[in-house]
């Protein structure tokens, strides 16, 4: 099944009347390869300051109506401690590209958080080799950075002043340094074709990601793309399901953006190939300020709510770190 070629992928992505079958098939492949455990990651969005100006993103530099925040070292470490006490075995540290957190500062933070016996995932964008290496040596285990799209022309339209090639090279550096690599895309970007999404999926397979995050693009009113249509939940779920068929044993999160389009979006995702959920552990004031797209949940879940939901669909919460185990 992981032999799907581009034409077959395009067909699966296009066939709206076959999507229920596709979702079920991805659910089966998920169960056979990674089992019924759902791994939870405690997400800390620690700064919404960003040097970039991606046209789609609510925290782009030119959005002057965002009130910017930055957690202090102490606050970030204590939030991580709280998350570990809640039972999270992975902490995801995410922020805009905020250079206030330089190499030394981040290494210090990583070393402190590592003492809580958790896996650490960084999601802080493009840095240089020396920094990636230092973070890895300080104890970071995984790195998330979406390629967003493999259509280079579209990428450069969407991310002025950024280079697709540079981002790609960052992903290769991260992999070489022995991080577990997470990447992914947005679905439903302006001018993005189904064919281009098929290329994206083949790209993620080619670079052998350990984790693939796929979510709909949701237009943010304070960005240049405010009037665009955005992606649908259904196409995002089909894309995610095909990803599961292509890479049966990787980690695939049920993304928050899916929940923003439908109250049960993440549950649907868990039943269509996903096996990871990343609950936000920030307080709701910070959550409101980290508005990448509208209707992003600004309320955390309690642990017991999450457990109940997961158990209600016959699944259980993962007990370990939830690392990727390659089957072949
Ligand atoms: N809609 C959906 N996803 C978005 N992201 C940023 N802006 C949006 C948006 N408007 C995603 C990008 C980024 C991740 C952190 O959030 O894919 O990599």
């Amino acid at each position: 099944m992981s032999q799907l070629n581009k034409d077959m992928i395009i067909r699966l992505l296009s066939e709206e009347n076959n999507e229920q079958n596709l979702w079920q098939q991805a659910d089966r492949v998920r169960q056979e390869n990674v089992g019924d455990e759902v791994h939870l990651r405690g997400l800390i969005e620690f700064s919404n300051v960003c040097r970039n100006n991606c046209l789609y993103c609510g925290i782009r530099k030119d959005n002057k109506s965002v009130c910017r925040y930055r957690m202090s070292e102490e606050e970030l470490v204590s939030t991580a401690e709280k998350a570990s006490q809640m039972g999270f075995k992975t902490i995801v540290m995410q922020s805009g590209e905020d250079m206030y957190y330089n190499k030394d500062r981040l290494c210090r933070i990583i070393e402190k958080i590592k003492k809580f016996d958790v896996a650490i995932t960084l999601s802080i964008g493009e840095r240089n080799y020396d920094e990636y290496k230092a973070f890895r040596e300080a104890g970071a285990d995984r790195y998330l950075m979406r390629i967003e799209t493999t259509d280079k022309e579209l990428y450069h339209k969407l991310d002025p002043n950024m280079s697709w090639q540079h981002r790609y090279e960052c992903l290769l550096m991260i992999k070489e340094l022995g991080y577990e690599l997470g990447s992914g895309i947005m679905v439903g970007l302006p001018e993005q074709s189904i064919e281009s999404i098929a290329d994206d999926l083949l790209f993620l397979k080619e670079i052998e990601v350990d984790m693939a995050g796929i979510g709909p693009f949701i237009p943010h009113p304070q960005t240049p793309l405010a009037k665009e249509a955005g992606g649908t939940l259904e196409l995002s779920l089909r894309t995610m399901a095909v990803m599961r068929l292509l890479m049966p044993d990787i980690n695939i999160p049920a993304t928050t953006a899916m929940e923003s389009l439908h109250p049960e979006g993440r549950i649907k995702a868990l039943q269509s190939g996903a096996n990871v959920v990343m609950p936000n552990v920030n307080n709701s004031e910070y959550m409101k300020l980290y508005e990448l797209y509208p209707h992003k949940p600004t309320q955390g879940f309690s642990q017991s709510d999450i457990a109940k939901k997961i158990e209600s669909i016959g699944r259980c919460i993962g007990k370990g770190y939830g690392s990727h185990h390659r089957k072949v």
Side-chain angles (χ1 to χ4, degrees), residues 56-58 94 146 148 186 216-220 257 292-293:
Y56 47 80
C57 184
Q94 185 174 89
R146 289 185 176 174
E148 315 295 1
M186 281 179 285
F217 157 60
I218 306 176
H220 187 293
L292 304 179
Y293 43 83

Side-chain angles (χ1 to χ4, degrees), residues 222-248:
Q222 288 155 352
T223 63
L225 301 185
K227 300 223 151 53
E228 297 292 335
T232 64
L233 176 63
E234 288 73 17
L235 179 57
S236 307
L237 288 172
R238 294 202 293 278
T239 307
M240 197 196 71
V242 175
M243 188 76 238
R244 173 59 75 200
L245 303 188
L246 275 174
M247 300 188 80

Side-chain angles (χ1 to χ4, degrees), residues 101-117:
Y101 299 92
N102 59 20
K103 185 172 86 176
D104 290 347
R105 186 166 274 138
L106 270 173
C107 284
R108 257 195 328 265
I109 294 171
I110 292 166
E111 278 161 16
K112 287 187 187 154
I113 294 180
K114 207 55 199 171
K115 298 213 169 80
F116 306 135
D117 183 27

Side-chain angles (χ1 to χ4, degrees), residues 45 54-59 94-95 123 144-148 167 184-187 189 213 215-220 223 225 257 290-294 296:
E45 296 161 337
C54 307
L55 262 53
Y56 47 80
C57 184
I59 62 167
Q94 185 174 89
S95 68
S123 179
L144 294 186
M145 186 162 62
R146 289 185 176 174
I147 193 71
E148 315 295 1
R167 198 168 185 82
I185 58 157
M186 281 179 285
V187 169
L189 291 166
F217 157 60
I218 306 176
H220 187 293
T223 63
L225 301 185
Y290 204 89
E291 197 192 49
L292 304 179
Y293 43 83
K296 192 168 163 279

Side-chain angles (χ1 to χ4, degrees), residues 7-9 16 76 93 95 124-125 138-139 190 207 219 256 303 327:
D7 286 341
M8 292 152 93
I9 295 174
E16 288 174 35
L76 176 44
M93 294 167 52
S95 68
I124 58 172
I207 63 167
T256 314
Q303 289 293 92
K327 287 220 156 173

Side-chain angles (χ1 to χ4, degrees), residues 173-232:
M173 286 188 241
I174 291 165
K175 193 155 184 84
E176 188 213 303
L177 286 163
Y179 286 91
E180 273 190 60
L181 175 64
S183 191
I185 58 157
M186 281 179 285
V187 169
L189 291 166
E191 297 173 39
Q192 184 188 43
S193 62
I194 291 285
E195 191 191 340
S196 152
I197 298 175
D199 285 331
D200 296 344
L201 293 178
L202 289 167
F203 169 85
L204 295 172
K205 183 172 166 71
E206 169 83 28
I207 63 167
E208 296 188 28
V209 291
D210 299 288
M211 209 258 334
I214 289 161
F217 157 60
I218 306 176
H220 187 293
Q222 288 155 352
T223 63
L225 301 185
K227 300 223 151 53
E228 297 292 335
T232 64

